[in-house]
Amino acid sequence: MRHTITVTVENEFGVLSRVVGLFSGRGFNIDSLSVAETMDPTVSRMTIVTRGDDQIIEQITKQLNKLVNVIKVVDLTMGDYIGREMVLVKMNANEKTKAEILRLSEIFRGKIVDVSPSTYTIELTGDDGKIKAALELLQPLGIKEIVRTGRVAIQRGSVSA
Amino acid sequence: MKLTGAEILIECLKKEGVETIFGYPGGVVLNIYDVLYDSDIRHILVRHEQAAVHAADGFARATGKVGVALVTSGPGATNTITGLATAYMDSIPIVVISGQVPTGLIGNDAFQEADIVGITRPCTKHNFLVKDVADLARIMKEAFYIAASGRPGPVLVDLPKDVVVSSTKFSYPESVSLRGYNPNYEGHPGQIKKAVAAIMEAKKPLIYAGGGVILSNASAELTALAKKLDIPVTMTLMGLGGFPGSDPLSLGMLGMHGTYCANMAVTECDLLIAVGARFDDRVTGKVDEFAPGARIIHVDIDPTSISKNVKVDIPIVGDVKRVLAKWLELIDKENISGRDEEIKPWLDEIAGWRAHHTLSYEKTEEIKPQYVVEMLREVTGGDCIISTEVGQNQMWAAQFFTLDKPRCWLTSGGLGTMGYGFPAAIGAQAAFPGKTVIDIAGDGSIQMNIQELATVVQYKLPVKIAILNNRYLGMVRQWQELFYGKRYSHTVMDYAPDFVKLAEAYGALGLRATKPEEVREVIEKGLAHDGPVIMDFQVAREEGVYPMVPAGVALSKMLLA
């Protein structure tokens, strides 16, 4: 099963490498990882999407907690949370497809952020389902390149992770 | 007053009560060595950095204090990896200080540069690169705290040359505050009660004690618990000495080369009380058939050790000593009259297994390695520190040298490091100059760090090395015999040095025994000698370590000989 885990870490030299090294060293899988500073500049937060059975996920959270620079580990999958990803999609755009690309972009509340004589670049944000659906529909129109941020996630309501 | 980084480092070591360090100088640590020259800290110059770390590790295991090693950058630092990984696997508190090229040159492939913080990340509990002299004192305080607290382990501090040279005001922090690091020592009260209830209910309880008992200094509590409730105790390789081996309740070691009695008891018990042990594959054999009918209590300071390999019924995250003390408190309130009668059938069953197959060996005209170990035990009366190398020598030492006290057994359990025993013995001997320290070695292992003979001679460390010399890489040969049709691929070690002459070349005493009747005399002579000794015992070549549970097989399916 896929799990979304947030890891709050001290913003110190080498922390990302410690976290990533833990996954590779112990044979755990990382589907996506995003990381940036929080409101407190001494603290960063990672969102890691990983997969495994209950025993593996338990080991992952325990092992992460064991790292000296890790402040907090929360497996969001256990509760209600919002997960989002941003994708930049560069489309081959010609006279036949331009209108359809614009229409699809609008339907998925995307933004055209760059235009050239032969391409449109769309910025799309959403959960897994939306991103997947949008890419499936855009595919036949000619995708040139995709960049994804990986998931970021936050718990719903007043609870803080 | 301002101090240089080098001076601050030495002051920090003094504040931590460090009296002895093991090391090897080099370019970027010259300023540190220059300050060391005038300090009261005793520095033992080893001949290879790997030995410095093993010596610090042996010092830590024998004393319970943090061991310290100091090395230079690049190759000096990379030579510490095996020592760090050894200490990491066995949870030994050491601090390794490595020199680094100046911060301005880091990343430029400077002379003797290595990304040691990157290299050691997976084999240290934590590591630091000190970028500013202003952080040095705090980092040293944190390094010692992290090494010794919670589940102990090695910490590396990398010190660039410019940090060592630059100056700042020295102030050593009183305490440590790390946001993400708060080991839990106490154990959950509810779980503790639940465990006591399970212990009181059990008809066939068994304690499975690991290295955590020794690391948390919990031998007294463990012994009190076992004796109070007549619970038999089996120990892991790392747990030996945690409970008196000669006590009638001791079943000896369990696992791959454990006793028949211990492995049968694990298979038949109805409650397994695991304390400070981590269910290593060398202990469990086939996991599905490990303690198949038992409820399992597991006490460990490290939450990641719990339910990692074996599913546990009552997990308790906490310090073994404190949890055992709480159990004893609760058990004191219980009515234990009539317990003798209740537990008797279980103890009788165990006595039956014990009688069925004891640790033994056939006596022949050749020297049997087991006999050498037995004689070492007899002559010393057990009053000594034993270190071992890795392989058959290690297993025979574990089986035949009955240990009654903790911190007298230095062996590389987790990583299985050949070449560990001799430098570890150096560390223990440096800590306890008056004690007998014996490295039980194989002819293969001893050659991995034999250069340290120079160190023991130079510092008058009277370490005794007992080589069980079978001119094979014995344990690998044993596996080849059992599982590879006796195809002894590259395990024959006929081209070894004359160990007696080698000892003499270094200025140590060399002794040899080729017949059983010479063994005792050589040991007595060796132990009586006031200096380092190599005792070369030419033992039966194809002797095997038994019992043996082949890897991945159930503990009850032992090869008895």
Side-chain angles (χ1 to χ4, degrees), chain B residues 90 226 229 371 397 409:
Chain B
D90 289 343
L229 297 179
Y371 174 69
W409 173 245

Side-chain angles (χ1 to χ4, degrees), chain B residues 13-14 18 29 49 66 78 86 112-113 171-172 178 184 218 241 259 268-269 271 280 306 353 409 464 466 498 521 537:
Chain B
L13 295 179
K14 285 187 196 162
V18 176
V29 286
E49 289 87 353
V66 177
T78 55
T86 303
Q112 292 197 326
E113 182 193 351
S171 106
Y172 202 58
L178 292 160
N184 181 4
T259 63
E268 295 297 324
C269 68
L271 179 72
D280 180 85
I306 291 176
W353 290 320
W409 173 245
K464 318 296 178 196
D498 177 331
E521 192 190 328
F537 298 98

Side-chain angles (χ1 to χ4, degrees), chain A residues 10 13-14 17-18 26 40 42-43 55 58-59 62-63 65-71, chain B residues 88 117 121 125-127 129 131 146 151 178-181 302-304 306-309:
Chain A
E10 286 182 287
F13 163 82
S17 145
R18 274 180 217 286
R26 293 186 181 267
D40 176 352
T42 67
V43 172
Q55 196 241 346
E58 184 183 334
Q59 269 299 309
K62 281 175 167 179
Q63 294 283 358
N65 258 313
K66 205 166 121 177
L67 295 176
V68 170
N69 297 130
V70 168
I71 299 168
Chain B
Y88 186 58
V117 170
R121 213 167 268 140
K125 184 173 172 188
H126 195 60
N127 60 17
L129 169 64
K131 286 180 164 170
I146 292 169
R151 177 177 178 172
L178 292 160
R179 278 189 282 189
Y181 180 74
D302 179 2
T304 66
I306 291 176
S307 291
K308 184 168 65 182
N309 304 329

